[in-house]
Each structure stands twice: as structure tokens, then as C-alpha cells.
Amino acid sequence: MQAADLIEVLQTVRVVPVIDPKSQADCLLAVDALVAGGATAIEITLRSDIAYDTFRAVRAAHPGIVLGAGSVMDSQTYEKAVSLGADFTISPGRCLTLEAYVAGKPVAHVPGVVTPTEIIAARQAGQTLLKFYPSEAAGGASALKDLGRIFPDVLMMPSGGIKEPMMPDYAALPGVLSVGGSWMYAEGGKHRPAPDVSKVMARSITAMRGAAQT
Ligand code: 3PG
């Protein structure tokens, strides 16, 4: 999917669960519960041996959701993600060789940034849909508020350390397209029971939808 189509999906449901799978079965259970709670876009990071098979299994189980491949930093991993059915790929930082490789291809890649210098360079390369990572460590909603004043044309997908009580702060920012992370399915490193996953997911979507943007 192209960046414009991804933006359209995330404008409706501004919450993207990010899963670094430790077990295929647990990941599938979490995805089922997240989808039941209203998730329409999910990111699975390709950082481990089991991630590829898990990605394939999630794709087969949920052909209708928007599925992103995370931690994609080179063209080989990008092509692998595309072959597994990824709708988009995303990385924690800028990967210039990969960005050049992806230009004009039908599966969008979202580069990561933190600083104004990185945002300026990304915009100069034509990238205005960006991941902001690690969000909380880099200042969270407060930093994004300042960055949004300087770069009103940029849409951010912050993730990293975000928790449910922070939703209103992020939701209020027009430059925040979506928030991502693990809070909706895991707590203290352990997966929540499925009914709780669906509940937290649904509450997070509502919180991100309900805010008056400033
Ligand atoms: C990411 O890749 O965005 C992180 O894994 C987010 O995870 P966290 O919500 O657990 O920080």
C-alpha cells in the first residue's frame, strides 16, 4: 500500500499495536484479541528467527488487516516482508539505501526520526510520513508538540514507551497520525488475557478518536 492509503487507514484508527513475537501462538492470540478490540493495522517486527513464520501466520489468519513489517532496514528484509504480504514496512531510523530502493514501489516504507535535523533531511528526501522512535525517551507528546509547530506538513507515528494514560496528550496533536506500542496487549513483559487485550485496545482507540486537536 502507498503512504497515502496507509494515512487514510490510520486517520480512522490511530492506534497501531507493535508486536515483537516471542511465540507464534501467543502472537496469534494477541492479534485475534486486538482485532476483536478494533485494531485495523498491526506492526510485527522482523527482529527474530520466529518473526518471519509468525508474520506469515498472522497474514493468513487476518487477510483483511493492514499488516506492517517493523525493523526493516535493508532491501533484502524489505523484499522478504513484501513476499510475506506486508502492506507497509517501517524502521526505527533513516535507512538511505533502503529509501532509495523503495522509491516508486507499491509497498510504502516509513523511516524513523527523532531530531529536527533528521526531519529536515527526511522532508528533503520527500518523506513526510515518519516514525518517531523512541518516543517517550525522546520527549513524547511534549517534544512532538514543539516539532509539530515547526513541521506542520509532517505526520508522525510515535512509538516506544507509550502507555494508555498518555493517549490524551498524543491524541491532541494534529501531527500525530497514530500511536504504536505494546501497552494494549502486554504489561510488565507479559501478555494480558485476551479479553483485557480487546478492552485496552478499544479504550485506546476511543481515547485517540475523542480528543479535540490543538
Ligand atoms: C517499537 O518498535 O515501536 C517498540 O517495540 C514499541 O514497544 P513498546 O511500546 O513496548 O515500547
Side-chain angles (χ1 to χ4, degrees):
M1 109 186 319
Q2 301 280 357
D5 300 319
L6 178 58
I7 290 169
E8 209 176 304
V9 170
L10 299 184
Q11 273 167 343
T12 309
V13 175
R14 296 170 72 200
V15 183
V16 181
V18 179
I19 306 178
D20 175 18
K22 305 290 180 230
S23 115
Q24 184 169 312
D26 285 352
C27 181
L28 279 165
L29 285 174
V31 171
D32 289 349
L34 290 163
V35 171
T40 55
I42 292 176
E43 175 189 333
I44 295 178
T45 56
L46 298 183
R47 278 206 294 263
S48 63
D49 289 345
I50 68 150
Y52 293 88
D53 282 345
T54 303
F55 194 101
R56 190 182 287 111
V58 171
R59 176 78 292 170
H62 292 279
I65 62 169
V66 170
L67 198 53
S71 298
V72 173
M73 301 176 225
D74 56 55
S75 58
Q76 291 83 354
T77 313
Y78 172 86
E79 285 300 344
K80 186 83 195 185
V82 171
S83 77
L84 293 174
D87 294 300
F88 69 97
T89 64
I90 187 161
S91 61
R94 304 251 355 252
C95 310
L96 301 186
T97 310
L98 173 60
E99 286 175 33
Y101 178 81
V102 168
K105 293 204 163 46
V107 173
H109 176 73
V110 182
V113 294
V114 170
T115 66
T117 305
E118 290 164 349
I119 297 169
I120 291 165
R123 282 160 89 236
Q124 282 171 346
Q127 303 276 2
T128 52
L129 173 60
L130 300 168
K131 176 165 175 143
F132 183 69
Y133 181 85
S135 184
E136 281 301 308
S142 157
L144 284 163
K145 189 172 186 182
D146 283 347
L147 292 169
R149 275 199 288 268
I150 306 168
F151 305 111
D153 56 329
V154 168
L155 286 174
M156 293 286 200
M157 297 174 63
S159 69
I162 297 175
K163 303 279 179 252
E164 191 184 354
M166 301 165 186
M167 295 296 100
D169 294 339
Y170 282 98
L173 304 175
V176 170
L177 176 63
S178 62
V179 285
S182 63
W183 77 87
M184 58 303 261
Y185 67 87
E187 196 175 22
K190 288 181 71 179
H191 280 213
R192 300 176 190 273
D196 294 354
V197 173
S198 302
K199 261 186 235 156
V200 179
M201 184 69 211
R203 279 204 309 258
S204 300
I205 293 171
T206 303
M208 286 302 291
R209 194 175 275 149
Q213 296 191 344
T214 54

